[in-house]
Amino acid sequence: QVHLVESGGGSVQAGGSLRLSCAASGDTSKTGCMGWFRLAPGKEREGVAAINNFAMTNYAESVKGRFTISKDNAKNTLYLQMNSLKPEDTAMYYCAAHFCIGHIILWGDGSYENWGQGTQVTVSA
């Protein structure tokens, strides 16, 4: 079992930046593939960014060029650097992890077994 704890959320004005962190503990062999998801009121949970063991990444179109996902394997920590934030980025952000091998990048919340409790990001106009 993997235990994931997100941090770094908060309230910022449009155009601002935040960096989310997700610390993993427990069976970290199951963190080869990790991702960030978000859930806004009245909307379905959506994938934001994903990364694999080879640092290959994938992003939602809405965040490309603004968000950067990275992973520090030595610290068992996943990051999401969010720049040029927009009000529509307001949501609860969750990190997720799953065992994977090879060059696959998991996308879609059904692909992940382990989830954190979330951290709130609020962007005001």
Side-chain angles (χ1 to χ4, degrees):
Q1 191 73 4
V2 179
H3 185 53
L4 303 171
V5 179
E6 302 95 333
S7 61
S11 297
V12 296
Q13 290 188 327
S17 298
L18 284 173
R19 188 175 83 152
L20 305 183
S21 299
C22 174
S25 60
D27 187 358
T28 55
S29 70
K30 296 182 178 179
T31 60
C33 282
M34 298 190 75
W36 287 99
F37 292 79
R38 64 187 181 187
L39 179 61
K43 296 185 178 181
E44 294 186 352
R45 185 163 60 185
E46 64 172 348
V48 175
I51 190 168
N52 67 11
N53 268 330
F54 294 88
M56 300 167 65
T57 59
N58 192 32
Y59 295 92
E61 285 296 325
S62 59
V63 306
K64 279 183 179 179
R66 300 188 298 122
F67 290 11
T68 302
I69 188 172
S70 62
K71 187 166 63 154
D72 186 331
N73 290 321
K75 296 182 178 180
N76 293 316
T77 301
L78 178 73
Y79 301 100
L80 184 68
Q81 178 66 45
M82 305 187 294
N83 299 327
S84 302
L85 282 160
K86 304 175 180 180
E88 50 264 43
D89 295 318
T90 295
M92 184 72 79
Y93 283 71
Y94 299 88
C95 75
H98 197 80
F99 174 81
C100 70
I101 58 175
H103 293 79
I104 62 170
I105 301 173
L106 296 179
W107 193 256
D109 55 5
S111 301
Y112 289 89
E113 180 181 19
N114 304 286
W115 293 83
Q117 84 291 344
T119 185
Q120 178 68 38
V121 172
T122 302
V123 185
S124 57

